[in-house]
């Protein structure tokens, strides 16, 4: 694939705007959810955020490690999701960047903020006014969330690398469902432009035939 500086700039602008919008969405959503719940339910919200980060990291790694060839045979047999899997592999650089960098980084930041809110709720519920106690609770909870995030991503990466085609095919099926049932297209196939020289050659050949 040819490198295009103009396309890279467009992609950078798009990904920046998408990151801003998603960061606002995740931040507002987590804040609203955590406002009216106890610290136990808040911890479940944090775990869901960690799970989202791990899953998207797996998807991004799989798209970069998958091979396109096996999906062509399935696409020729019109297997649902095969055509979408081909588009994922062909756009692996952008797809993995979105999953790993955009979603992964946003979830990491939001989960850290959510953990801080949960710690405040826990300390308030315990009713212990002790600076050392508050610091210990904050450190322990932050360490646990970080360990779950890093450990989950390490496990997910190992699975995605060894089962990349299966993961991409599963995502392709999800894209097929969104497109066929809901009319939502995530990845559009790139249109190939015909070379002008081909048309000129054809007209020249026709002129020679007439003479």
């Amino acid at each position: 694939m040819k490198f295009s500086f103009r396309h890279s700039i467009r992609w950078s602008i798009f990904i920046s705007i998408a990151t801003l919008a998603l960061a606002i969405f995740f931040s507002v959503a987590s804040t609203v959810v955590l406002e009216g719940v106890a610290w136990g339910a808040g911890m479940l919200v944090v775990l869901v955020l960690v799970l989202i980060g791990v899953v998207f990291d797996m998807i991004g790694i799989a798209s970069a490690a998958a091979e396109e060839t096996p999906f062509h045979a399935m696409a020729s047999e019109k297997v649902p999701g095969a055509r979408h899997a081909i588009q994922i592999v062909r756009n692996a650089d952008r797809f993995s960047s979105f999953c790993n960098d955009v979603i992964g980084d946003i979830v990491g930041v939001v989960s850290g903020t959510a953990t801080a809110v949960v710690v405040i709720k826990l300390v308030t519920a315990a009713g212990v006014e002790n600076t050392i106690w508050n610091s210990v609770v904050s450190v322990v909870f932050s360490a646990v969330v970080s360990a779950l995030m890093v450990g989950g991503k390490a496990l997910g990466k190992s699975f995605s690398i060894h089962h990349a085609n299966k993961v991409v095919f599963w995502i392709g099926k999800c894209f097929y469902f969104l497109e066929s049932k809901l009319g939502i297209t995530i990845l559009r196939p790139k249109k190939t432009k015909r070379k002008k020289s081909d048309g000129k050659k054809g007209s020249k050949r026709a002129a020679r035939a007439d003479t």
Side-chain angles (χ1 to χ4, degrees), residues 1-4 6-8 10-11 68 83-84 86-95 179 185-194:
M1 185 179 290
K2 241 182 177 181
F3 174 78
S4 174
R6 184 176 63 181
H7 290 168
S8 298
R10 287 179 180 176
W11 171 248
E68 183 179 335
R83 180 172 56 85
H84 299 79
I86 292 173
Q87 293 303 318
I88 292 172
V89 177
R90 288 182 177 177
N91 295 275
D93 54 343
R94 297 182 179 185
F95 193 79
E179 185 175 321
T185 303
I186 305 297
L187 292 174
R188 296 183 182 275
K190 294 180 180 178
K191 295 180 180 179
T192 54
K193 294 182 179 179
R194 293 183 178 179

Side-chain angles (χ1 to χ4, degrees), residues 92-104:
D93 54 343
R94 297 182 179 185
F95 193 79
S96 62
S97 175
F98 179 81
C99 293
N100 295 116
D101 299 332
V102 178
I103 302 297

